[in-house]
Each structure stands twice: as C-alpha cells, then as structure tokens.
Amino acid sequence: MASSRRQYPFHLIEPKWQQTWDAQQAFRAFNPGEEIPASHPFAIRHGADSMSREKVAGRKAPAKYYILDMFPYPSGTGLHVGHPEGYTATDILARYRRAGGFNVLHPMGWDSFGLPAEQYAVKTGQHPRVTTEANITNFTRQIKSLGFSYDWSRELATTDVEYFKWTQWIFLKLYNSYFDAEKNCARPISELIENRKSQIYNESAESLRAFVDSKRLAYVSEAPVNWCPELGTVLANEEVIDGKSEVGGFPVIRKPMRQWMLRITAYAEKLLADLDTIDWSDSLKEMQRNWIGRSEGAEVDFLVAGSGEIIRVFTTRPDTLFGATYMVLSPEHKLVAEITAPEQMQAVEDYKRFAAGKSDLERTELAKEKTGVFTGAYAINPVNGEKIQIWIADYVLASYGTGAIMAVPAHDTRDFEFAKKFNLPILQVVQPNDAKTDWQNFTDDGTAVNSGFITGLPTPEAKTKITLWLEEKNLGKKTINYKLRDWLFSRQRYWGEPFPIIWKKDAAGNLYHEALPESALPLLPPTLEDYKPTPGGEPPLARAKDWLNLPDGSVRETNTMPQWAGSCWYYLRYTDAKNAQSFVGKDAENYWMASPDSRPRTPDPKSTPGVDLYVGGTEHAVLHLLYARFWHKVLFDLGHVSTPEPFYKLVNQGLILGEDGQKMSKSRGNVVNPDDVLAEYGADAFRLYEMFMGPLQDTKPWNTRGVEGVYRFLGRVWRLFVDEKSETAFEQAETTSDLGSRRSESAEDHAFTSAAAELLDLILLDGGIADMDATPAQLKALHACIKKVTEDLDGLRFNTAISAMMVFVNEAMTWQSKPLSVLKPFLQLLAPFAPHLAEELWARLHSTFGQMAPSLPYAPWPKFDPSLLFESEIEIPVQVNGKFRDVIKVAVDADNATIEVLAKASEKAQPFLAGKTIKKVIIVPKKMVNLIVA
RNA sequence: GCGCGCGUGGUGGAAUGGCAGACACGCCAGACUUAGGAUCUGGUGCCGAAAGGCGUGGAGGUUCAAGUCCUCUCGUGCGCACCA
C-alpha cells in the first residue's frame, strides 16, 4: 500500500465514473436500424435517428470507426502489464474518434478455448467451462478497472455455444466449397458436382465422392503429421518450433495420421498479393511473405536410365540445367524403391530408416553435415543426354516442390557441400560478372557458360530461353512453388469445437465422411468424467460412447478444431454479436466492415476499410493473422462478407520488459501486476504511463519510477483545478470515514460510490478559475497543445502527445487566473488518456459555474486555430560556416536583406567573422541563416 | 547463412536535412516544513575557471548544413532457416 500521500483521490473518482459509464451504457455502439435512446449521449450528439437504415444507406449516418484489440486467452494468472498496453492505445483512439464524431466500434471478448483449462481438467476433473468462466470473470474485473470504453454489450467468448455454433457453420462452408482455379475463387461444392455429372455419365457414387472429397477446402488427409506425445495431440507446422511444441517445448515426432486439413494453399497467391493493399508494418508483411514463400522456377522431367520412370524436379535455376551433375531424391520419394539397383538396396533401406528415425529437431541440428547414399540408378539430363547418378539424401525435403532435385554443385551451396563430401563432379555453367569472383559455389546471377544454346546469356534471359525450350520439347514448364502448406486443422482434444461431421461405411465397407446439416448446429461436446485421451490413444471425445455412436450406425468425428478457429472470425461477430439467425447480419457487417470514410489510406486509397485499426502482439504475425485472412477471403468469395481483407491497418505493440530489462517471467520474479500498480497510482496514471514509456511499437522496460512521474503530472493537473484548503478539509473528512483505506471492489459497489461522491463534493475549485477572456499567451499555450495532441494521436505518437500536455500544465501552473475557455478544451485533450480525472474535473467545472455538463466522451474534439499560434517576431539561428553561433530576433516577414544585416551584426558571431571575408550567405526563410567565410 | 528493425546523456526517450537531448526519471542545490520518500524554485550531455572545444556505435561520402540521406563496418534485437 502507498506510504505516501495520494496525489489526488483517484480511488474515489475512478469507481464513480466507471459506474456512471456503465449505467448510461455510454460506449454502446449502435448498428444500422437500431433505435437509439434519446437520452444516450450518442443520440444527443448525432440525433436519435442517426443510425436509421435510410441514413446509413444514404451515407448520412456518422462514419464508422472499428478499432479492435486482439482478444486475450483468459489465463488463470490474470492480466499482466503487456495486455493493457495495446488496450490503452486503442481506448485512447476510440475515445478520440468518438469525440471526432465517429460511430466507434470498440469491443472486447475472449479467446477461451485452449489447452491450460483442459490440462487442469485432466488433473482435477473440473470441467474446462468452469475454469474458463472463473478466469473470464477475473479478466473482466481487471480490464474494467482500467476504465476502457468497450461496448460490453457485444462481449463474446469463443466457447459460447451461440458463438461456436457459427464457427462450426463456417467449417461447413469450407467443407462444402472448393477452389475454382479458373474463376480464382471459392465456389459451392454443388457447382462442382453439377459440372462433374455433366461431364461423366453414370459415375459411381463412390467414385464421385472420392473426386468431390479431394477438392473440398476442408478435406481429410492421411499424411504424416506433427504428433506431440506429451500434449497428446497433433500440431500445425506453425506450432512447431525447432522440432518442439510451441506450447510447452515438448518433443514432436512425425507420424502418419488421418487428419482434417484446410486448403489454405489455394489462397497462397491472393494472401500474398493482397498484402499490398493493407497498411501493415513492412516487417510483418515480410514475415507473411516469407511464410507463404513464393518462388518462381520450372519443373523439369528427367528420364531414369533403363526404365520408363520419370523424375520431376523443381528448380528456380533452370539456366543451370547443363551443370546438373547428379540428382537427389528425398528418402521418402515414392520412386526410391523402384529405381534402386539391387546392390544398393541394403544401403538405401538403411539410410531411409536412419532418416525416418531422426526427429525434426535432429534434422535441423545435424544440418551442418550432409548425408546420403547412391541408389545405383542413373538419370538422363534432358538438355545434353548425360548420364548422371541418382542419390537419396535428407537435405531434400519430401514436402517441398516435387521432393526431388537436380543438383548443380557449382552454383548451389547445399549441392556444393554434398558433391565435395561424396566426390561428385562439379561443372561450371555460370560465370560471375566480376572476373575476380570464384565460380565455385557462386549462386548469384551471372552469364551462362558451357551451356549449349544458352551460353553467353545473362541469367534472367537464360532462364526464360531454356524454360521456353523445355516447354516446346514437353520436358518441363514454368512453375510457381510455395512453402506454405495446407493447414492441419484437427486436434485430439476435448476443449475445442467438435467437427459437425459423421463417418459412415459404404457398401464395400470403406469409411467415408458426411457433414451434418446446418440445422443440427450447434453440435455440443459430450459431458465427460475423464478428459484424458482413451487408453487406445483416441481423442477424449471417443470416451463418450452414447455421443459417439449414432442410431444408424454412423460415428461422430472425435477430433476438435484448433484454438485458431474461434479467432478467425470473432471480429466479424462483434459487428452483430447477438444475431441468432446468421453468423452476422448483412447490414451490420456491411456498415462496420465496408463503409468507407474520408481518411486517407496509404498503400491503396481504394483499399477496403475492414477493421480500421487492429492492435496486438507480433506473436500472431503468421498464425492468427494468416488464418483469419484466409477464412475471410473464403467468406468473401462465397458472398458472406463485403471485403477481401479483414484488417486494414495493423499495429504490433512492443513487448514490455521487466525492470531488469529482461522478458517478464514468473521464474525471473520480475512480473509487474497491474492490480498492484492500480492500487497505488490509479488507473489513469497506469494508462498514462503505459503510453508515456515510449513509442507503442517499441520494446521497452517497465520502470515504476516512471509511473510516479506521470502520477505527479496528474497530481499537478488536479492542483491546477482545485482549491488546496478545501482539499485539506476533504482529507480530514475522509480519514473519519472508512473510504480512505478501502478501494471499491467493483463498479457495482454503489454504497461506496455514493459515499465517495459525497466526500468529493467537499472539494472546491481553485479561486483563480473564472469565466473570463483568455490572454493571447494562454490561448497560444492551449492551441499549441491542441495541435500537437491531435497530430500525435493521428500518428499514434502517444508519448509525445502526453509530453505536450505536460508542457501545457507546467505553464498553466504559473497562471494567476485560469479562464474556463482554456481549461475546458484542455480537459477534452486529457480525457482519452486519463478519462476518470478528466470527467471529474469536467463535471466540477460545469457545476461550479451552474452549467450543464455535456457528455465528455461525446463532446466535439477541440480544433486548433493557427492564427492564435502566429508569431510576429521569431528567433532564427545564425551559423558561421555551418556552426551555430547566435540567435537573432527578426520579424516573421523580414526580407533576406534584413536578416543578412542582422546576422552579420549578431554579437556572438563577431569573433568568427573578424578579419574574414563573407563569401556566401545562405538564408532559409524563417529557418536559419548561414554565413560562409573564407 | 538470409531477411527486417534498432544503436542519441546516468535512465526511458524527443528532434518536416536547419539551435541535438523536448518531456519524464534520477541526481545536485535551495524554499516551505516538526519531518520529507509531499510540494515548489533553480541546475543537470562531456571537457573547461571562462572563452570555447567535443559530442547521436565506428570509418568514409553527399550537402552551405547530417542523429536524419548514401557506402562500408561493428554491435544488438526479431523473424526465417537444407524451401532447390
């Protein structure tokens, strides 16, 4: 507890205003067609009918501003100081936009499916829902105590039945769609079936099903997956870091399993191209581009000598084809067994076992040393008919390209290392343009040599020419490859959305899947006693036999969806959170996601609005943000949403480190708990400090001393407004009550707040405050502050905006008389940052002067008047030979001749001018003057 | 290895190519005070008594003028990593 005196009674002020905002639903956002209570401050500013359908359709309704935080996973440990950093930034902007006349959508919710609650359930048997709800309650209390202006009427949790019903519904859309390569978009599966039926007459049901199932955006695959024994589930590639699980750091092994996949690769090109239309940081876009990993090249067919087999390779350097001196297949390549010579069979089998036994981690760690064996088979190089050896090696990945390569050791580092180790021939086919550079292991562009018909061509032309040649001879073709893999979408867990899928057997006894109808949604998970996987290794859902087995003999899918599913579309649900008929209403979605406003959009002025600003951590750079974009694009193709991109502008808030400059962690003991900071300094100081620390995007260390600094600033604001003597009286009265020692536990603590209000009434305004004309100096201080704060808010420069307010207050503290007309706009500037204190002083200011206080959050944002900042006389620096020497005062409109005369006469410049000739004078009007002497 | 970002006082950080260090922390001195870990006033990049000199990781360059632009280099953080 604070041992020093409070700077101001934030402990009474903050609960009071939080309760007021709650009571009047001050931050509720209104949808098109929604009736607005006449007493609501939004109605008072914009009119009760301002959101009528007619006005929205006619673009007469207030412009929308959708500002979103990445919703948190409600963990058992509660909020840490990193969470509120982004939340504070978005709250300040939400309040600023509200004051600017926008209809602001600023919601909050919970990404509440997830592993920790399930692991707790496995240990204790407590249903994850119970754990989750308790955690949500705690998070809600913490978030509300910070005074954020969320529209809580739109709160959602991904674990809500009414929410995941629609997550399942979207899954059905994916299941029942395919990607039409010609139209370059997703289409309903029914169209595919129609086409197929018109082309193939009398196809068997089994054959048609197999065809259709192979085209769905959600499909079943039998491929090897990342299995984590410790977590008892498979993981997506993105969730595996260096061969270990991202969560927990447990070993991950490759294991073939039947899994649900989402065909995100179909969208690789769109996901890549549309990055250019959105305003994200370059580094983030780059991460997504890297992840998608587009590379242009060619596929080339090599004939296996003495057999009819063809090995297809992918290369980005077809121009080096003449230098291909051997080939490598991945150990898993399907032709390995067929082509291997009898005498090499044993060695190849041994190597395959060796490679398969390696975990992903070992593969990465052992990457330094190349391994492989000769198959005994030869291929024919299609350009020159050379016979070259075929090897297998695990430096060639089965999962990329065709799983086979042509090796050009002269111009590829990996092939070079391999050839060196195994004494394979190295043939130069590219000449570096710089003659001094060694051609061995030269991988850049140069000029083709020893390359038949492309010899002499620069690399780019050589590529084009040889690719055309290959296409003519039907030996290969231009190809684009992506690193991006399809999204592994199933998990062997309990606490996730069940798949609305059942399994049946056809006449031949083969299993096939079928989707439940939409009317069967939501599909609830069964109640379990035990949340562990079954002894047979089946997912926990398989334990519920009566849920699992249906009367007609079919069986439910026992996998559940990954945590990412719920976060793929929550931003859409917020626009119409209570809709029971649809995942989101058309009008609401269209208004919040697609209605344009006048603010400039930087990458592309015509880019779609989407969420206007999305703030969250970098940890979601490739996972959530790529998945959500993918779902959004599918929904867009199918006509369910209005824009191709979900998030127009995205900002990653920087990490907050502990006071020791290390990442905060329990083990280091450097975790700062917001509850403690709030108890000692209040929410406003906490918010202000989080923003004052430095630029939002930067990583920066926490420093409690710094909190004290902004806390003192708020204390100065308080003392700028209140009468000191009355404050003493207030403090004495407070000591005799019990309110000094306790803090309101919740915004519903009415007894506390009404007693607090009574106490606060003892505080009077400073006698210097009056309804009087402001002096020019006062107006100038105010308008300089308005200008700076407004511009900085537009540029998300919260730290410098706060510093501008400090400058203003430091000056205002010296004023004897304080005009209302200056203090009120200042409070408006302060309000987004420190809303509780601003509200309290705003109310007091108006009541003291017998005025009705307009709602502060909806009071129009002050405009700065440039004429008030006009200076008739300015100081400009005088330089001699570029070095600063003196300052001269000149009229703002002084001509160059006058400036030159004054500069030459300036006192401190004299010693540097004495005895020298002035050769040149450079004058930048209103900026500086530079005297060049010999 | 590749890609991206960042290097400014004791600290967090400010600076459309034009007076480097706004604002804040810390520190020093003073005022008020029974007291100060409250508040207020002044000071505070480094060297120097001063005049002045030197200063934005380092080295070059462009410019009348560079923390800012260019080249190289070192350090650091993040991301990717046998992706053919």
Side-chain angles (χ1 to χ4, degrees):
Chain A
M1 198 51 218
S3 50
S4 59
R5 180 173 171 268
R6 272 192 197 93
Q7 288 275 350
Y8 69 100
F10 63 82
H11 62 303
L12 304 181
I13 293 173
E14 291 177 358
K16 171 181 163 184
W17 288 100
Q18 286 166 19
Q19 204 179 93
T20 307
W21 297 328
D22 253 15
Q24 65 184 31
Q25 296 195 60
F27 307 118
R28 191 174 144 199
F30 297 96
N31 272 1
E34 213 174 326
E35 210 170 299
I36 309 172
S39 61
H40 193 280
F42 185 90
I44 293 166
R45 171 141 185 205
H46 298 286
D49 67 338
S50 54
M51 287 302 293
S52 68
R53 284 178 204 286
E54 299 70 46
K55 290 206 169 176
V56 171
R59 301 229 179 281
K60 299 255 164 55
K64 66 99 182 184
Y65 187 74
Y66 187 174
I67 180 162
L68 179 68
D69 295 294
M70 287 186 187
F71 64 168
Y73 171 73
S75 73
T77 50
L79 232 49
H80 57 79
V81 293
H83 282 120
E85 188 193 11
Y87 302 165
T88 303
T90 54
D91 190 61
I92 289 168
L93 291 169
R95 288 172 179 272
Y96 167 58
R97 293 294 176 203
R98 228 174 257 124
F102 287 86
N103 186 12
V104 172
L105 178 56
H106 187 42
M108 179 46 78
W110 316 104
D111 188 13
S112 41
F113 277 122
L115 203 50
E118 176 156 348
Q119 284 171 327
Y120 189 73
V122 168
K123 259 188 266 168
T124 65
Q126 171 161 287
H127 195 288
R129 185 169 294 284
V130 177
T131 317
T132 303
E133 274 167 12
N135 290 348
I136 288 177
T137 303
N138 188 40
F139 262 68
T140 306
R141 173 192 64 78
Q142 288 190 301
I143 287 178
K144 285 196 169 178
S145 72
L146 283 157
F148 294 139
S149 60
Y150 292 119
D151 177 359
W152 288 102
S153 75
R154 294 169 189 256
E155 177 181 1
L156 59 83
T158 53
T159 47
D160 290 344
V161 173
E162 278 312 301
Y163 182 84
F164 75 68
K165 168 183 176 178
W166 297 107
T167 310
Q168 291 170 329
W169 179 85
I170 296 172
F171 175 81
L172 290 182
K173 292 290 155 206
L174 291 157
Y175 180 86
N176 288 317
S177 304
Y178 75 108
F179 193 82
D180 185 327
E182 255 168 55
K183 293 183 180 136
N184 194 30
C185 69
R187 300 301 308 156
I189 207 88
S190 53
E191 291 183 10
L192 184 72
I193 296 172
E194 289 308 309
N195 286 342
R196 179 78 171 185
K197 282 184 174 160
S198 69
Q199 281 164 16
I200 301 178
Y201 176 69
N202 233 357
E203 188 179 20
S204 75
E206 283 75 19
S207 168
L208 177 63
R209 185 184 300 122
F211 171 74
V212 168
D213 285 352
S214 73
K215 297 289 179 190
R216 297 179 188 276
L217 291 182
Y219 65 97
V220 172
S221 156
E222 202 68 57
V225 295
N226 304 300
W227 170 256
C228 179
E230 201 76 27
L231 297 174
T233 185
V234 299
L235 299 169
N237 288 333
E238 295 88 321
E239 294 171 299
V240 181
I241 315 275
D242 290 338
K244 292 184 192 156
S245 64
E246 187 182 29
V247 179
F250 303 118
V252 173
I253 59 169
R254 304 287 291 177
K255 184 177 168 183
M257 283 176 84
R258 178 182 61 75
Q259 295 296 336
W260 284 94
M261 309 289 290
L262 297 188
R263 205 177 299 280
I264 190 172
T265 50
Y267 280 83
E269 197 57 50
K270 284 187 179 187
L271 288 168
L272 189 66
D274 288 355
L275 284 173
D276 295 336
T277 70
I278 51 183
D279 186 8
W280 296 12
S281 73
D282 289 340
S283 67
L284 199 91
K285 287 184 180 182
E286 204 52 36
M287 277 193 241
Q288 293 227 336
R289 286 193 194 105
N290 280 343
W291 195 265
I292 295 165
R294 181 186 199 273
S295 63
E296 271 184 42
E299 282 182 352
V300 185
D301 290 343
F302 283 66
L303 200 63
V304 179
S307 91
E309 300 294 348
I310 282 171
I311 299 173
R312 180 166 289 180
V313 303
F314 174 71
T315 176
T316 54
R317 293 295 300 270
D319 61 301
T320 61
L321 194 44
F322 284 89
T325 53
Y326 65 100
M327 294 188 79
V328 186
L329 307 187
S330 69
E332 298 86 359
H333 196 282
K334 61 179 189 300
L335 283 179
V336 171
E338 287 174 50
I339 63 167
T340 300
E343 67 275 14
Q344 288 298 102
M345 198 58 91
Q346 190 58 46
V348 165
E349 282 307 312
D350 287 350
Y351 185 77
K352 282 174 76 169
R353 212 169 306 120
F354 161 75
K358 283 198 217 174
S359 68
D360 281 15
L361 179 58
E362 287 167 325
R363 272 200 175 193
T364 325
E365 276 179 351
L366 300 174
K368 284 146 201 130
E369 194 62 23
K370 296 271 180 295
T371 60
V373 296
F374 179 42
T375 61
Y378 293 84
I380 308 298
N381 187 331
V383 286
N384 55 16
E386 294 280 334
K387 231 174 125 180
I388 58 177
Q389 298 188 350
I390 303 173
W391 287 61
I392 63 168
D394 69 355
Y395 82 90
V396 173
L397 309 176
S399 56
Y400 182 75
T402 61
I405 62 157
M406 63 176 206
V408 184
H411 308 294
D412 180 283
T413 304
R414 296 151 301 184
D415 298 344
F416 182 74
E417 287 170 0
F418 193 80
K420 279 276 178 198
K421 178 161 176 186
F422 294 103
N423 271 319
L424 291 157
I426 299 173
L427 173 64
Q428 179 189 14
V429 289
V430 180
Q431 177 59 41
N433 295 332
D434 173 4
K436 288 189 295 267
T437 308
D438 186 7
W439 61 264
Q440 296 219 24
N441 198 13
F442 174 78
T443 57
D444 293 337
D445 283 9
T447 305
V449 293
N450 303 326
S451 293
F453 61 92
I454 58 166
T455 297
L457 291 179
T459 301
E461 281 87 334
K463 282 181 184 176
T464 313
K465 184 160 183 190
I466 200 161
T467 306
L468 282 173
W469 184 87
L470 288 166
E471 282 174 0
E472 274 168 26
K473 298 270 189 274
N474 214 15
L475 292 167
K477 63 173 201 292
K478 189 175 174 195
T479 308
I480 294 162
N481 242 306
Y482 300 92
K483 282 201 282 183
L484 184 69
R485 302 268 72 95
D486 275 340
W487 174 14
L488 177 72
F489 193 66
S490 43
R491 298 292 183 276
Q492 293 67 48
R493 288 181 190 160
Y494 174 77
W495 195 224
E497 301 87 348
F499 282 81
I501 292 285
I502 53 173
W503 290 83
K504 294 186 164 175
K505 275 188 184 145
D506 65 13
N510 296 317
L511 275 177
Y512 67 92
H513 48 77
E514 217 174 75
L516 294 179
E518 286 178 17
S519 59
L521 302 182
L523 171 63
L524 304 176
T527 318
L528 293 183
E529 300 289 315
D530 186 346
Y531 297 91
K532 282 197 280 291
T534 66
E538 291 286 300
L541 292 188
R543 287 179 177 272
K545 296 281 179 253
D546 49 347
W547 178 88
L548 184 69
N549 297 303
L550 297 169
D552 66 353
S554 57
V555 177
R556 288 194 197 279
E557 170 65 52
T558 54
N559 283 304
T560 55
M561 300 184 201
Q563 195 179 353
W564 309 111
S567 57
C568 268
W569 73 284
Y570 75 112
Y571 59 93
L572 289 170
R573 185 65 180 172
Y574 279 141
T575 66
D576 200 11
K578 300 280 181 267
N579 197 317
Q581 274 73 51
S582 165
F583 83 114
V584 58
K586 200 80 212 159
D587 287 354
E589 185 276 333
N590 190 64
Y591 173 74
W592 291 111
M593 293 298 288
S595 66
D597 69 58
S598 52
R599 277 163 306 123
R601 297 187 169 266
T602 39
D604 178 358
K606 296 188 295 294
S607 59
T608 55
V611 173
D612 296 84
L613 180 64
Y614 192 23
V615 175
T618 344
E619 64 272 21
H620 296 118
V622 281
L623 302 167
H624 160 62
L625 288 172
L626 199 63
Y627 295 155
R629 290 180 64 217
F630 163 51
W631 277 36
H632 196 88
K633 286 182 178 304
V634 175
L635 291 171
F636 176 69
D637 284 352
L638 298 177
H640 297 294
V641 298
S642 325
T643 65
E645 281 289 330
F647 314 118
Y648 168 66
K649 185 176 171 71
L650 182 121
V651 171
N652 288 123
Q653 88 266 24
L655 204 63
I656 294 183
L657 306 171
E659 300 217 45
D660 53 2
Q662 300 287 107
K663 212 168 167 173
M664 279 194 198
S665 76
K666 250 191 227 161
S667 57
R668 286 204 187 84
N670 61 354
V671 176
V672 179
N673 182 344
D675 286 346
D676 299 339
V677 181
L678 246 61
E680 191 152 355
Y681 304 103
D684 284 338
F686 182 82
R687 294 167 54 113
L688 216 54
Y689 177 62
E690 290 251 351
M691 295 297 101
F692 188 61
M693 288 168 84
L696 180 62
Q697 292 92 335
D698 288 8
T699 298
K700 46 214 173 272
W702 181 268
N703 178 4
T704 300
R705 296 266 195 202
V707 190
E708 282 169 27
V710 292
Y711 179 53
R712 284 208 282 262
F713 162 67
L714 292 178
R716 281 203 300 281
V717 172
W718 177 253
R719 291 191 298 276
L720 182 65
F721 284 82
V722 305
D723 173 68
E724 236 179 291
K725 283 198 205 88
S726 74
E727 213 186 348
T728 314
F730 155 81
E731 274 168 20
Q732 281 163 353
E734 193 198 5
T735 325
T736 56
S737 81
D738 70 334
L739 291 184
S741 57
R742 87 181 180 96
R743 195 181 156 82
S744 172
E745 286 307 315
S746 74
E748 281 74 47
D749 194 346
H750 291 273
F752 180 93
T753 38
S754 62
E758 217 168 282
L759 270 177
L760 285 170
D761 281 343
L762 294 172
I763 295 169
L764 305 175
L765 279 190
D766 180 79
I769 299 175
D771 198 353
M772 65 197 294
D773 286 341
T775 66
Q778 289 173 328
L779 285 174
K780 200 161 138 187
L782 174 68
H783 283 259
C785 189
I786 296 173
K787 180 175 194 290
K788 182 78 177 142
V789 171
T790 305
E791 289 172 355
D792 283 352
L793 283 176
D794 287 331
L796 312 187
R797 293 179 297 266
F798 304 99
N799 53 335
T800 49
I802 293 166
S803 122
M805 289 189 284
M806 287 173 167
V807 171
F808 171 84
V809 170
N810 287 347
E811 185 177 339
M813 291 299 275
T814 66
W815 296 343
Q816 295 304 308
S817 62
K818 306 165 189 171
L820 271 180
S821 59
V822 172
L823 293 188
K824 280 188 192 171
F826 168 71
L827 285 178
Q828 293 183 263
L829 301 182
L830 181 68
F833 298 84
H836 310 88
L837 176 61
E839 287 269 22
E840 180 66 25
L841 294 173
W842 179 261
R844 198 159 292 270
L845 218 48
H846 285 87
S847 67
T848 303
F849 288 90
Q851 302 167 344
M852 273 284 292
S855 166
L856 181 54
Y858 290 86
W861 188 254
K863 280 200 168 55
F864 81 89
D865 179 351
S867 70
L868 294 171
L869 297 174
F870 180 78
E871 303 267 2
S872 59
E873 205 175 41
I874 53 170
E875 288 189 336
I876 64 171
V878 177
Q879 296 178 0
V880 179
N881 282 352
K883 275 189 185 287
F884 167 74
R885 295 300 175 187
D886 204 354
V887 172
I888 53 172
K889 273 199 167 178
V890 299
V892 71
D893 53 356
D895 58 19
N896 286 2
T898 315
I899 292 173
E900 187 173 333
V901 169
L902 284 168
K904 284 175 178 167
S906 79
E907 194 188 323
K908 290 186 182 153
Q910 290 318 303
F912 303 94
L913 298 173
K916 308 242 170 78
T917 334
I918 296 174
K919 286 172 53 182
K920 196 174 173 187
V921 178
I922 292 153
I923 295 172
V924 182
K926 298 183 196 179
K927 285 282 185 199
M928 51 70 62
V929 49
N930 193 2
L931 306 172
I932 311 301
V933 300

